[in-house]
Each structure stands twice: as C-alpha cells, then as structure tokens.
Amino acid sequence: MGHLSSLAAAFAPHEALAERLLPHGASVDDGSHDAAHLIRVWKNVRRIHGAEGGDLRILAAAVLLHDCVSVEKNSPVRAQASRLAAERAFELLDELGWRTAEITAVAHAILTHSFSANLPPESLEAKILQDADRLDAIGMIGAARCFYIAGRMGSGLYDPLDPLAEDRPLDDKAYAIDHFETKLFKLTDGFQTAAGRALARQRQERLRAVLAMLIEEI
C-alpha cells in the first residue's frame, strides 16, 4: 500500500474518495493544515456524527476539501479563504460527477466552517464540520498548532515583560500566547452541537492548563 493509500485508509468508510481528494486538500508545506490535520478533523467528525447523525459522505468530502485553498493567517484575504475553498471544492466534486445538491451541501459546510469568515452554518453537516475543525484549534493540539503558526509568522512566544498582557494591549501577531486570549479561549462558546460542546469543554481545560504551565516556567 502506497503512502497516499495508507493516509486515505484513515477516512474509512470513504477511503476511495479520500484517495481522490487528499492531493487537493492536504497542504504539503503547512504542518497546521496537512494530512494529519485532516485526519484529526475526520476523527472529530466521526465522534460528533455518532451522537448527532448527518450525511457521512457529505462530511467526508467537506473535511477533505475544507482547506483546499491555502491562505496564510497573516494574508489580507484570509477572510476569503473558506469561500475560495468552497468554490474549488465545487469544481473538484463536479469533475467527479457528484450531483449538484450534494456539491452545494459540501460547499456550504466549507464556506461556513471558518472562524474568520463569520458565517452561520445552517445544515447539520456544516455545524459538525465547524465543530470538528475548531476542536483541532484547542486542547494540546491547538496549543501546538498555535506555536507552530507563530513560528511561521515570525512571532515571539510571549512578551518577556508582560506575558499575560496585564498592562498592554493583546497582540497575537507579535506574541503566540496572546492568541489564546484573542481567539482560542473564545471558541468554546460558539460550538454548534451538543456533542461538540462536550468535547470542547474538555479541550478548553487542557488549553488553560498548557498556558498555566508555560507561565509557571517563565
């Protein structure tokens, strides 16, 4: 079994679809949006889907393609990333012969999954994708991704004079741990499904523990 097939197997029962879409959906130069991220989001989807239901085929395609257009966090068009990905997903699934109604469902989930897009998910599948993707932004994985992205952007870990921004404005472009307060700790309140909210509460506690341990060591 080749590397692509091995990765695709993680998306069972839709491994055949994954093998077609992974080359389009997984970033090869961004470790926060690579195949590992897609597999983690798929695992989150399966857990939420087990409690909430929904169309698993639609969800598989949405997971595989939700980041298919790569836009850096500091790009001026960052808020357009999910729209661009939705448009690209429409093209790719149309080439595979999917029905228009199914493609539209996938595109809506992708369009509304992004925090920066600030669009409400309307379908169950869209709500599940948004929750599953946001779960990967909190907890231990969320902390790791935050520091990884800060490194890509050239940010520092923290302000050595005021790490918790007690006497300065938060600036997550300059300091990685400022991003915990400007965004990551706010995500839990916006979860769409009961199953997603339960998982988010657990990961929120882990994320706060990471920050507390870091502060203790500096």
Side-chain angles (χ1 to χ4, degrees), residues 13-200:
H14 295 291
E15 52 266 61
L17 178 66
E19 194 155 1
R20 297 290 297 272
L21 297 182
L22 268 172
H24 302 283
S27 175
V28 295
D29 61 357
D30 179 358
S32 64
H33 294 95
D34 56 3
H37 167 66
L38 298 183
I39 291 170
R40 291 192 304 269
V41 174
W42 177 242
K43 288 179 178 178
N44 293 339
V45 160
R46 293 299 302 269
R47 294 181 71 179
I48 298 171
H49 173 268
E52 306 285 345
D55 188 319
L56 202 58
R57 182 168 176 261
I58 297 295
L59 283 164
V63 169
L64 287 158
L65 296 176
H66 76 280
D67 289 326
C68 66
V69 175
S70 179
V71 180
E72 288 282 11
K73 292 289 186 183
N74 60 356
S75 169
V77 296
R78 177 62 190 171
Q80 302 299 316
S82 62
R83 179 183 61 80
L84 296 171
E87 292 172 356
R88 178 62 178 145
F90 201 104
E91 295 171 357
L92 290 167
L93 295 175
D94 185 55
E95 291 172 5
L96 293 182
W98 279 44
R99 294 187 297 111
T100 301
E102 294 176 318
I103 300 175
T104 300
V106 172
H108 171 71
I110 293 172
L111 178 66
T112 59
H113 89 276
S114 170
F115 182 84
S116 56
N118 195 29
L119 297 170
E122 296 175 0
S123 67
L124 176 57
E125 291 78 16
K127 292 175 181 179
I128 291 174
L129 177 66
Q130 186 182 100
D131 281 3
D133 188 55
R134 292 186 182 185
L135 281 172
D136 210 49
I138 52 180
M140 284 297 301
I141 285 290
R145 292 178 75 212
C146 178
F147 294 133
Y148 171 88
I149 293 168
R152 284 176 65 88
M153 301 297 104
S155 304
L157 289 177
Y158 57 89
D159 179 349
L161 300 179
D162 187 3
L164 291 177
E166 294 171 331
D167 296 305
R168 63 173 177 83
L170 288 163
D171 183 0
D172 61 356
K173 290 183 174 60
Y175 306 113
I177 68 169
D178 282 24
H179 194 59
F180 284 41
E181 204 63 58
T182 60
K183 178 181 176 182
L184 302 186
F185 287 147
K186 297 177 180 178
L187 292 177
T188 302
D189 292 337
F191 273 68
Q192 301 288 327
T193 67
R197 283 191 292 274
L199 292 168

